[in-house]
Each structure stands twice: as C-alpha cells, then as structure tokens.
Amino acid sequence: SMLTLLLTHPTEFRTLVQFYIFHEQKRDITAQQEHPTSGWDRPTMRRCWELLDLTSRSFAAVIKELDGDLARIICIYYLVLRGLDTIEDDMTISDEVKQPLLRSFHEKAITPGWNFKDSGPDEKDRQLLIEYDTVVIETNMLKPEYKAVIMDICQKMENGMADYAHKAATTSTVYLETVAEYDLYCHYVAGLVGEGVTRIWSATGKEAPWLCDQLELANSMGLLLQKTNIIRDFREDVDDRRFFWPRELWAKYGFEEMKDLYEKGDVEHATWIQSGMVLDALRHATDSLDYLKLLKNQSIFIFCAIPVTMAMATLSLCFMNPEMFQRNIKIRKAEAAKLIMRSTNPREVALVFRDYARKIHSKAKPQDPNFLRLSVTCCKIEQWCEQHYPSFVTLAPAGQSPYDPLDKRTAIVQVEEKRIKEI
C-alpha cells in the first residue's frame, strides 16, 4: 500500500514516512517503570487497556500518552461511558429492559461481578459488556475524587439517553425536531464527556483548579466532536435507523424522510441541508480554541487538540460533498498524520482551524441559503486567530524585529514601543 501511495500520491507518501520516523510514541504503558501508574502489571487493568483498543482506534493512542495515572483514569472513564453508550445504541434491546438498565447504570458500573450478555449479536462493542466485571474492579480501585466525577457524569448521561430512547420507542417520533433538541442530545452524549474530563484535569492537579468551572467551553468541545461524527456518519446512521439530523433543517425543503436526501436525487437541496449542519457545528469552533488556550499540560493539550483538528478536517471534507450521502468518508491517512504532527501548541491549532475554515468558505455557494451565515462564522474563526496570534508577528532570529515590515500595523506597534521606552 505504501508503494502504491508513492506512485499515486508522492507528497502523502513523504508525509507518512516523516510521521513514522519522527513521531514516536512518548509513553509505553507496558514498560515496567510505568506499571505503578498504568496498572499494566494487574491482569484486570491489562484487559481494560485491551478493551480500550477494541472499542476505540482514535482515542486509544492519545489516552495512552497522558501523563502519569491520568491515562489509566481516562481509560476507565472512557470504558464506563462506552459501556453505557453501547446499551443505548443497541436497537435489539426492548424499551422495557433498556430503561431500568440505562437509569441504573451508574450503580451497576461499580457493582462487583456485574456484566451484560444480552446485547445484539451484531453490536460491535458487546464484548466490553460481556467482560464488564473487569472494568468494575478497576473502577472501584480509583481514588474517591476521580470515581465520584465519573459516576456523576455517568448518572447525568444515562438519564438523558434514557429519555431519548424512551421517546423513540414509545412514540412515532424518531427524529429530533429542532436544533435546540439536537444541542441537548449532543450535550448528553458528548458535552458531558467534556465536562467530566475537565473536572478530572483539575482534580488531578495537572490543570488549574478553576478550569473545572469552564463548563460552557468544555461542552462546546464535546459538541464540535459529536456533531462532526453525526454529519460524517449520516449514511451509516440512516441505514441503521438512527436519525440525529434535526427535522427543522431538512423538512423545509420538502423531504419527508432522511433517506430522501439520497433517494430523491435532489443533490442541490441535500447539500444545502448538509451546509446547514456544518454551519451548526462550526459555531462551536471558537469556544474550542478558547478552551485549548487555557490548557497548560502538554499531554492534556495534545489529547484535546488532535480530535478537534481532525473534526475540522472532516467538516471540510464533508462540506458540499454529495458522496457523504452515499457512504462513510474519511480524511486520508497522510492528512491525519500531518494534523497529529501539527497539533502541538495553541497557535498551530488555531492556524489549522483557520486553514480549514478558508477551505470551507471557498467551497460555499452564493445560492446556498446558509451562505451569509457561513461566511460570518468562518470570519469569526479568522478573527479569533488574528486577535490572538497576529499575522504580522513572525518568528525572527535574535536581534531582528519580529514584525513584518510590509504590514501597516508594524508602524503602529513600533511607535507604541518607542513611546513606552521613552517613558
């Protein structure tokens, strides 16, 4: 495959080679010196790490690189919420069984010996629930302050999920009606995840104590990721009869069912709806940048930055792309590798956001009803970058001015610096 890539996409081949050579994993959780914090020496925790690899390809790598015991805490946090999400997603479980199971999951998650073997045969993460008693053991070994955060988030999430599952099972309404309802659903399944990790960052002392109060920013981070996944997974979700796109955005164009977006052949209106979904996701971009700018721990920053830069790349790929209605589309491996290598500091991540916002805006069409609002939203991202990282300030050798001499703002700054020096 690499040889084929060399012949067909030589620049991507070069990027992947650079990634494999220079981007080394900083932490090996299996190493003996890591055992006190990673728990690899315990069979139960070792199996939890294996279950993490089975249930998540994207998050597993960044979780393992978190500092100290933070990696183990977030691993357990992820598995608890993944177990809850697996039950909620399983359409083979009746509502009579699912309701009490969901609403008491925070209790079952710490009940020794509990597991669940009645998931549907096609449920991809059913093995996690079959072996959930292993996760219970490790959850109960966490420090009380971390365990309390995880159980609190689990309880809030399970009730939200149960409400939506009950509505779908007992009424003829299987759709989210409004954008506000869509926001609330995404808050329950993803915004709360952002709240939980933020509280854990503060509880471990690796981030400032006041960071746990920035819940609106943390919620926006979660919503940006969740909404991106919902946009990208459109066809897979519709085929599985999971409908997350709010009716408010697509019914006004005459579509009666979500499958009509690809069955009717009305590509223009379908891409306008797609544009509206991307626009809705982009309104969380500047909040996400604000959140990242508050982080001080490098491993936590990378953990948060890589998924959101991937999200921006995915939104750019999906925007005005009719193929998204036919199949799941993903960014290319070389692009993902490049984003991982760039997601190392707030300035570089901001530039990534700006670059993808420009790509999205360049593909926007004036006849699209969302064109003006989309332009304003992309401009807000551009404005955020320019405000925090002015383009006329450049990296320069010692002794040389860091300001671009061709930029008009340089003269203003130099006058101000001269005035301050004289004072």
Side-chain angles (χ1 to χ4, degrees), residues 138-152:
E138 288 298 326
T139 304
N140 287 325
M141 291 179 68
L142 294 174
K143 290 183 179 180
E145 56 267 36
Y146 309 146
K147 182 178 171 182
V149 171
I150 294 173
M151 292 303 105
D152 180 50

Side-chain angles (χ1 to χ4, degrees), residues 82-100:
R82 173 58 71 183
L84 174 65
D85 185 61
T86 301
I87 292 173
E88 192 255 349
D89 280 347
D90 194 341
M91 306 305 288
T92 66
I93 303 175
S94 67
D95 191 56
E96 291 75 16
V97 175
K98 183 179 287 189
Q99 285 299 310

Side-chain angles (χ1 to χ4, degrees), residues 118-375:
D118 297 329
S119 298
D122 297 327
E123 190 60 43
K124 61 180 181 179
D125 293 330
R126 70 188 308 270
Q127 190 61 34
L128 169 61
L129 292 173
I130 291 173
E131 299 184 52
Y132 199 83
D133 51 326
T134 304
V135 181
V136 172
I137 293 172
E138 288 298 326
T139 304
N140 287 325
M141 291 179 68
L142 294 174
K143 290 183 179 180
E145 56 267 36
Y146 309 146
K147 182 178 171 182
V149 171
I150 294 173
M151 292 303 105
D152 180 50
I153 296 299
C154 182
Q155 187 172 11
K156 290 176 181 177
M157 186 180 291
E158 70 192 24
N159 287 321
M161 287 181 170
D163 289 344
Y164 281 99
H166 183 66
K167 177 184 175 183
T170 58
T171 69
S172 58
T173 305
V174 294
Y175 295 109
L176 300 175
E177 294 296 327
T178 65
V179 173
E181 192 177 355
Y182 175 52
D183 280 346
L184 184 59
Y185 173 80
C186 290
H187 165 72
Y188 279 125
V189 300
L192 286 172
V193 178
E195 176 184 328
V197 294
T198 303
R199 289 166 61 185
I200 290 172
W201 305 151
S202 293
T204 58
K206 295 185 184 299
E207 292 291 349
W210 48 261
L211 184 68
C212 64
D213 298 325
Q214 304 299 316
L215 299 184
E216 186 174 350
L217 299 183
N219 183 65
S220 284
M221 281 275 293
L223 263 60
L224 175 60
L225 298 177
Q226 181 66 19
K227 289 181 176 182
T228 300
N229 289 338
I230 286 174
I231 293 168
R232 181 198 62 196
D233 297 339
F234 169 85
R235 184 58 187 264
E236 179 183 336
D237 287 339
V238 172
D239 288 345
D240 292 340
R241 295 194 57 76
R242 295 194 295 263
F243 307 109
F244 300 116
W245 289 31
R247 188 193 293 270
E248 179 184 332
L249 294 182
W250 53 265
K252 60 186 176 183
Y253 293 106
F255 297 109
E256 297 178 359
E257 302 285 344
M258 280 184 62
K259 63 181 181 180
D260 292 343
L261 270 67
Y262 57 85
E263 285 189 350
K264 276 193 171 182
D266 188 352
V267 176
E268 182 179 52
H269 286 141
T271 52
W272 288 359
I273 296 165
Q274 180 194 65
S275 167
M277 290 293 290
V278 172
L279 170 62
D280 178 70
L282 285 176
R283 65 188 171 93
H284 304 293
T286 52
D287 275 355
S288 299
L289 290 171
D290 282 332
Y291 181 87
L292 291 172
K293 206 168 187 298
L294 297 176
L295 301 176
K296 304 302 178 187
N297 182 281
Q298 183 65 12
S299 70
I300 291 176
F301 178 85
I302 291 173
F303 172 85
C304 297
I306 290 176
V308 292
T309 54
M310 297 282 191
M312 287 297 293
T314 302
L315 290 175
S316 175
L317 177 65
C318 292
F319 184 71
M320 289 294 170
N321 187 351
E323 287 188 25
M324 195 205 75
F325 295 108
Q326 306 302 327
R327 59 182 179 86
N328 271 23
I329 56 178
K330 294 183 179 181
I331 59 176
R332 296 180 66 85
K333 287 184 179 180
E335 186 172 7
K338 187 182 296 184
L339 290 173
I340 291 172
M341 290 189 287
R342 289 186 67 184
S343 301
T344 56
N345 61 79
R347 180 181 181 275
E348 198 63 32
V349 170
L351 295 180
V352 169
F353 272 55
R354 184 198 66 184
D355 292 345
Y356 284 116
R358 288 176 176 178
K359 288 181 180 179
I360 290 171
H361 190 250
S362 69
K363 292 191 287 184
K365 299 177 180 179
Q367 60 268 35
D368 180 0
N370 302 299
F371 179 78
L372 184 58
R373 287 182 297 155
L374 190 73
S375 300

Side-chain angles (χ1 to χ4, degrees), residues 47-93:
R47 184 55 184 162
C48 285
W49 286 116
E50 292 168 355
L51 289 170
L52 176 67
D53 289 330
L54 287 173
T55 54
S56 172
R57 292 175 297 175
S58 54
F59 277 111
V62 288
I63 288 175
K64 291 174 183 176
E65 294 206 21
L66 286 166
D67 284 348
D69 60 353
L70 195 54
R72 178 172 54 86
I73 298 166
I74 299 300
C75 172
I76 298 302
Y77 180 46
Y78 180 89
L79 292 178
V80 170
L81 299 186
R82 173 58 71 183
L84 174 65
D85 185 61
T86 301
I87 292 173
E88 192 255 349
D89 280 347
D90 194 341
M91 306 305 288
T92 66
I93 303 175

